[in-house]
Amino acid sequence: MTTHDDEILGKAYDARLMRRLLTYLGPHWPYVAVAFAAIVVDTAAALVQPYLIKIAIDSHIATGNLDGLGRLAWLYVGVLMAAFASECVQTWALQITGQRIMFDLRMQIYRHLQRLDVRFYDRNPVGRLMTRVTSDVDALNDLFTSGVVTIFSDLFTLVGIMVILLTMNWKLALITFMVLPIIVLITQWFRRNVRESYRVVRGWIARINAFLQENITGMATVQLFGRERVNFQRFDEIDGRHRDANLESIFYYAVFYPAIEAIGALASALIIWYGGGLVVGTAAGAGTVERTLTLGALVAFLQYSQRFFRPISDMSEKFNVLQSAMASSERIFSLLDEPVAIASPARPAERPADGAGHIRFEGVWFAYHPPEDPSDTAAPEWVLKDVSFEVRPGQRVGIVGATGSGKTTLINLLLRFYDVQRGRITVDGVDI
């Protein structure tokens, strides 16, 4: 049975699929190692910048001591250049890795498609298979170029900022982290609602490709039977469902990212409120004022808090990439795991040297959709029932019969586009 629907399989995250995907990184590990090293440098440069500003304010600007401020400024410029260079290297290495993995995957899929039998193509529209080789592989490219490796950058940044903030002032750091439970709740809401939308979108993309391929290649038939209006309405329905699925996922984006920005602003407000009090100081007795936080540290806290929420937002985007990649990998691996039903034996028998092409059908039974019980000779699925005949060398045999009686099926079996369920076909005495 031909189907245009893509199955929506599996889970939002499947460790088995991820392990299988990561094996494609193996042949390209030098580029992955370069990208990982560049990520470490880029993360370190990002963490150093606010701290250099803290030193500039506390040790030079606030005290009026401008000696060394120029060297500190040049050091800051050097850190920016290091971040620029590391990000360039990271992008270059990851893009090369992604392109090479896409090449490997497409070649593996196409090689497997060439080995599958005609029965498989009877069940699967060409447009659906094209989606595997094009759109689904592209989704995996996004995973390898901006997901698997770069997620370490976000983790390093988060951990590094938390350690620095706790070291500078643990009380103000805890005030900053008060908004984290809200972020967790919003992120869980986002993940739960956007999870299925990715799979639905990819399913409708496959249906669009399948519909277009069949209608464009069969446009003469469509026009012959005057089905332009009917087919247009059908395509309008499919395209509309794809649009609606995308709009649903866009709604969750439209809520999630502004929410993260608002929470980041709330954290900055808490830092200014509580940290400002620490900078101004409290009465310590005997007319003295105790200041437990410097102005430079407060500025650094604000910058670190802004950098703290950016990786959280980025990691949520990585989760979306992961969702899309999981849905695509399910389909790709389902195709690659499709068994090769018709394969040549490891040591095929050889035809006699003097063979002239003696063809024999010996008690052949065949059904395109075999019955559950192959011994049930009365099942309606059988196209050929106990067919036996021979064609001797040099003989011409004409096969006649009504439409659907099995004429083309005989030739398909002889060419071994399909295998018989019972009986056998021989050429010069050798079972094909």
Side-chain angles (χ1 to χ4, degrees):
M1 180 179 63
T2 300
T3 177
H4 298 274
D5 288 324
D6 262 348
E7 305 90 347
I8 298 179
L9 309 170
K11 302 177 292 185
Y13 172 79
D14 192 321
R16 178 184 57 85
L17 285 177
M18 180 56 69
R19 286 193 299 269
R20 190 168 176 179
L21 284 172
L22 292 178
T23 60
Y24 289 92
L25 285 173
H28 313 290
W29 67 266
Y31 293 100
V32 177
V34 170
F36 190 83
I39 285 173
V40 172
V41 174
D42 186 44
T43 304
L47 294 176
V48 166
Q49 294 170 27
Y51 200 80
L52 291 178
I53 293 177
K54 171 186 177 301
I55 295 175
I57 293 175
D58 291 340
S59 301
H60 300 281
I61 298 175
T63 61
N65 179 19
L66 301 183
D67 293 338
L69 186 59
R71 291 191 299 271
L72 196 62
W74 280 111
L75 178 59
Y76 190 86
V77 172
V79 171
L80 290 177
M81 295 300 295
F84 170 79
S86 61
E87 191 164 348
C88 287
V89 172
Q90 169 191 331
T91 303
W92 170 80
L94 289 180
Q95 290 297 329
I96 286 182
T97 303
Q99 292 299 321
R100 294 193 172 192
I101 289 176
M102 278 202 305
F103 175 84
D104 295 343
L105 261 175
R106 286 199 173 107
M107 295 305 296
Q108 183 182 5
I109 294 172
Y110 186 71
R111 186 183 302 114
H112 188 67
L113 286 173
Q114 288 185 308
R115 300 177 61 211
L116 294 176
D117 59 287
V118 176
R119 188 190 304 274
F120 172 81
Y121 293 99
D122 292 340
R123 302 192 312 266
N124 294 274
V126 175
R128 180 180 179 184
L129 300 177
M130 289 175 60
T131 303
R132 300 292 175 274
V133 185
T134 55
S135 301
D136 285 331
V137 173
D138 285 336
L140 295 185
N141 176 54
D142 294 337
L143 175 68
F144 289 113
T145 56
S146 62
V148 173
V149 180
T150 55
I151 195 171
F152 288 103
S153 174
D154 296 330
L155 291 175
F156 292 159
T157 301
L158 287 174
V159 173
I161 289 176
M162 292 179 71
V163 171
I164 292 174
L165 293 184
L166 290 171
T167 303
M168 290 173 57
N169 190 297
W170 66 270
K171 292 182 180 180
L172 186 55
L174 294 180
I175 294 293
T176 306
F177 300 151
M178 284 176 59
V179 299
L180 287 180
I182 305 177
I183 291 179
V184 171
L185 291 176
I186 293 178
T187 303
Q188 289 298 325
W189 171 85
F190 177 73
R191 290 175 56 183
R192 184 172 60 253
N193 287 281
V194 82
R195 175 177 298 171
E196 293 302 324
S197 66
Y198 268 100
R199 296 180 175 186
V200 173
V201 167
R202 301 219 61 83
W204 285 110
I205 288 175
R207 294 191 67 176
I208 288 175
N209 288 342
F211 187 91
L212 285 174
Q213 188 275 330
E214 290 191 355
N215 279 267
I216 291 175
T217 56
M219 189 57 69
T221 304
V222 172
Q223 295 177 353
L224 177 65
F225 288 94
R227 289 186 54 89
E228 293 92 341
R229 178 175 298 178
V230 174
N231 286 16
F232 181 85
Q233 292 174 349
R234 179 58 181 152
F235 182 73
D236 180 66
E237 177 188 350
I238 296 174
D239 199 26
R241 298 288 291 276
H242 174 253
R243 175 203 60 210
D244 295 341
N246 272 299
L247 290 177
E248 182 179 355
S249 64
I250 290 172
F251 166 76
Y252 299 122
Y253 280 111
V255 174
F256 176 73
Y257 288 108
I260 294 296
E261 292 293 331
I263 294 172
L266 175 61
S268 298
L270 291 174
I271 292 173
I272 295 173
W273 167 71
Y274 187 79
L278 298 179
V279 172
V280 173
T282 58
T288 62
V289 176
E290 182 181 2
R291 295 180 175 86
T292 57
L293 189 72
T294 63
L295 178 61
L298 178 62
V299 174
F301 252 94
L302 287 172
Q303 291 197 344
Y304 277 125
S305 68
Q306 294 172 356
R307 295 167 188 254
F308 183 76
F309 294 104
R310 192 178 308 155
I312 294 177
S313 177
D314 290 344
M315 290 178 70
S316 300
E317 178 64 27
K318 301 295 190 303
F319 176 80
N320 300 334
V321 171
L322 178 64
Q323 295 298 306
S324 180
M326 286 293 102
S328 296
S329 62
E330 285 172 331
R331 293 170 170 80
I332 289 175
F333 291 142
S334 176
L335 173 59
L336 291 176
D337 292 338
E338 184 74 26
V340 178
I342 298 180
S344 299
R347 301 182 63 181
E350 296 183 4
R351 288 175 56 193
D354 58 347
H358 186 184
I359 299 171
R360 289 178 59 90
F361 277 62
E362 303 175 4
V364 170
W365 291 71
F366 176 76
Y368 288 99
H369 303 286
E372 295 183 3
D373 182 7
S375 63
D376 182 7
T377 58
E381 291 87 356
W382 294 113
V383 177
L384 300 178
K385 300 180 180 181
D386 196 20
V387 174
S388 298
F389 67 90
E390 64 177 325
V391 183
R392 297 182 179 278
Q395 189 179 21
R396 295 186 179 184
V397 175
I399 303 172
V400 296
T403 300
S405 61
K407 302 184 300 296
T408 304
T409 300
L410 291 175
I411 305 304
N412 287 339
L413 293 176
L414 179 62
L415 298 177
R416 210 188 172 204
F417 289 149
Y418 304 88
D419 271 339
V420 301
Q421 279 86 38
R422 298 168 62 182
R424 70 172 190 159
I425 303 171
T426 65
V427 176
D428 294 326
V430 178
D431 191 329
I432 63 170

